[in-house]
Amino acid sequence: MIQRVSCLHNLVQSLRLGSLSQLGSYICYSSQAASSLQQVSKACADGENEYANLDWDNLGFGIMPADYMYTTKCSKDGSFEQGRLSRYGNVELSPSAGVLNYGQGLYEGTKAYRKEDGRLLLFRPDQNAIRMRMGADRLCMPCPSIDQFVDAVKGVALANKRWVPPPGKGTLYIRPLLMGSGPVLGLAPAPEYTFLVYASPVGNYFKEGLAPLSVYIEEEFHRASRGGAGGVKSITNYAPVLKAIARAKSRGFSDVLYLDSVNKNYLEEVSSCNIFLVKGNVISTPAANGTILQGVTRRSVIEIARDHGYQVEERAIAVDELVDADEVFCTGTAVGVAPVGSITYQNRRVEYKIRAESLTQELYSTLEGIKTGLIEDKKGWIIEI
């Protein structure tokens, strides 16, 4: 406890002196760290209106590294040491690191939002922490506690406050990574692990902005298979879809929708987000049965929809059902709630009418309102720093 307070005292002093650029203090996290973060927030008060020199009106979804990242390490059978905030920069890895040789790694994604009064909000980071623990178990890795994960995200958001876009201009995307950083030659878990968190300000994920997406159904390639790691956020799930995405985008599509690898008939998910169909008062989404990622936004949208009186079904959805759907939309941390304007399958294009008062728009407005503090959070989803 004395060490934790001492470390945070050093951080606060650095902030008070305006010496963020020289920040090298260790931040020791525990379940009682919230009060310490409040001290840091007070120390930042004088600079809370300061912004990084960016064109906030034209943010895309590309890497613009914020000032600071968080790192901590752990031995194979130990626990993660106290974390360190340092300047964003390259990390040193052995050529035989488990993550480089065998893909032993996970990532998460969450966002920080700025309110009109300058305060920062996080949306359900504990759910990202829980999902990372599930993935770590699947990939035989130790994992930070939920408290350490959440407090690391808080620390990164706070240290990079000037990179959080003004309200309505974007968000600070926060990327936690867990990887086998220790050297290993034979196929086995790495002897050491690194947990790091970095951040970047972002705008809309798709170049279309908030315009409806044009999606292509992929038949040759599959995102995941039964018994694999499609249900966790393993880094190995993403490089294999790059070829399909590149091919679709070269044909003018926004993204790719994948079918199940067994029957090649049931919807799974889009490259980086979940998919929903609307028919009347019923909303359907593929069941998370091990090949589909249990998205935090997906779960939140399901809860909001049920609160609004809609029936939500998590089930197997045949590709033919797309023809009769009233609306189709995608959900994810990066994309939010994005309407789908058309889906192309076997040279047949199905188009969906986009209405101003659509269910997709209703869910989008409600979710974004909660995230940004414009709608009262009655579920305890928001963490205010």
Side-chain angles (χ1 to χ4, degrees):
M1 181 65 172
I2 293 175
Q3 185 185 23
R4 178 174 67 85
V5 173
S6 175
C7 290
L8 281 158
H9 173 74
N10 291 337
L11 173 60
V12 172
Q13 290 301 314
S14 296
L15 290 166
R16 282 183 177 140
L17 294 172
S19 56
L20 266 173
S21 62
Q22 299 173 357
L23 179 63
S25 304
Y26 283 87
I27 301 182
C28 314
Y29 290 100
S30 74
S31 60
Q32 302 167 348
S35 61
S36 300
L37 283 167
Q38 289 172 1
Q39 294 178 51
V40 174
S41 181
K42 278 187 178 181
C44 288
D46 293 338
E48 66 181 11
N49 294 320
E50 179 187 356
Y51 285 101
N53 185 23
L54 293 178
D55 181 1
W56 298 110
D57 292 318
N58 293 289
L59 285 179
F61 202 93
I63 184 66
M64 287 185 286
D67 294 326
Y68 297 99
M69 64 181 189
Y70 168 98
T71 55
T72 180
K73 293 183 179 293
C74 171
S75 63
K76 178 179 173 181
D77 301 316
S79 58
F80 281 88
E81 61 192 24
Q82 60 189 30
R84 181 175 188 263
L85 277 175
S86 60
R87 296 291 296 192
Y88 177 92
N90 295 338
V91 295
E92 184 174 321
L93 285 175
S94 164
S96 58
V99 66
L100 297 180
N101 290 262
Y102 299 117
Q104 194 183 22
L106 296 161
Y107 82 87
E108 281 293 331
T110 188
K111 290 179 176 179
Y113 301 79
R114 186 189 293 267
K115 294 184 68 175
E116 292 289 349
D117 61 9
R119 287 178 293 174
L120 303 184
L121 304 179
L122 298 173
F123 182 74
R124 309 189 76 178
D126 58 311
Q127 297 302 305
N128 297 95
I130 291 170
R131 187 169 64 182
M132 177 168 276
R133 291 185 72 83
M134 293 170 56
D137 179 71
R138 177 66 177 83
L139 301 186
C140 298
M141 296 192 289
C143 188
S145 69
I146 294 175
D147 287 333
Q148 186 172 21
F149 180 104
V150 171
D151 289 330
V153 170
K154 287 180 182 178
V156 167
L158 189 59
N160 294 302
K161 187 172 183 179
R162 73 191 193 97
W163 293 88
V164 183
K169 302 293 186 180
T171 58
L172 183 70
Y173 185 85
I174 301 173
R175 171 62 61 84
L177 280 169
L178 178 64
M179 57 184 172
S181 51
V184 60
L185 185 59
L187 181 55
E192 179 190 79
Y193 296 86
T194 297
F195 174 61
L196 65 86
V197 185
Y198 67 90
S200 174
V202 297
N204 292 311
Y205 181 77
F206 291 107
K207 66 179 176 129
E208 293 87 345
L210 297 177
L213 306 178
S214 173
V215 176
Y216 175 79
I217 294 181
E218 177 61 54
E219 294 183 83
E220 180 181 357
F221 301 110
H222 297 284
R223 178 191 169 274
S225 59
R226 292 181 183 178
V232 299
K233 214 163 175 64
S234 168
I235 62 173
T236 57
N237 290 337
Y238 295 90
V241 304
L242 295 178
K243 188 176 184 67
I245 294 174
R247 186 165 66 179
K249 289 190 174 182
S250 70
R251 298 172 180 173
F253 297 102
S254 308
D255 211 329
V256 176
L257 172 60
Y258 299 89
L259 302 178
D260 74 291
S261 62
V262 177
N263 301 291
K264 300 183 179 181
N265 183 56
Y266 296 100
L267 307 184
E268 292 258 292
E269 62 178 86
V270 181
S271 303
S272 59
C273 45
N274 298 114
I275 191 162
F276 288 76
L277 279 66
V278 180
K279 182 66 177 176
N281 196 53
V282 180
I283 303 172
S284 302
T285 190
N289 56 7
T291 58
I292 296 172
L293 191 67
Q294 298 186 43
V296 176
T297 308
R298 172 185 181 275
R299 186 181 301 116
S300 303
V301 164
I302 288 173
E303 290 190 44
I304 291 171
R306 286 173 174 160
D307 289 345
H308 286 202
Y310 296 99
Q311 178 183 340
V312 181
E313 299 177 345
E314 298 178 71
R315 60 178 178 84
I317 301 175
V319 66
D320 292 342
E321 294 187 47
L322 290 169
V323 176
D324 297 322
D326 298 328
E327 299 176 43
V328 176
F329 62 89
C330 299
T331 66
T333 297
V335 306
V337 179
V340 174
S342 68
I343 295 181
T344 300
Y345 176 53
Q346 294 181 340
N347 295 320
R348 180 182 181 185
R349 181 185 176 96
V350 179
E351 297 188 349
Y352 304 98
K353 293 182 179 179
I354 306 299
R355 298 174 290 109
E357 298 181 356
S358 65
L359 171 58
T360 302
Q361 182 60 41
E362 177 184 345
L363 294 174
Y364 168 82
S365 298
T366 303
L367 182 63
E368 290 303 305
I370 294 172
K371 287 179 177 180
T372 56
L374 298 177
I375 294 178
E376 182 184 358
D377 171 28
K378 297 179 180 179
K379 295 178 175 292
W381 287 350
I382 296 298
I383 292 179
E384 182 178 304
I385 306 178

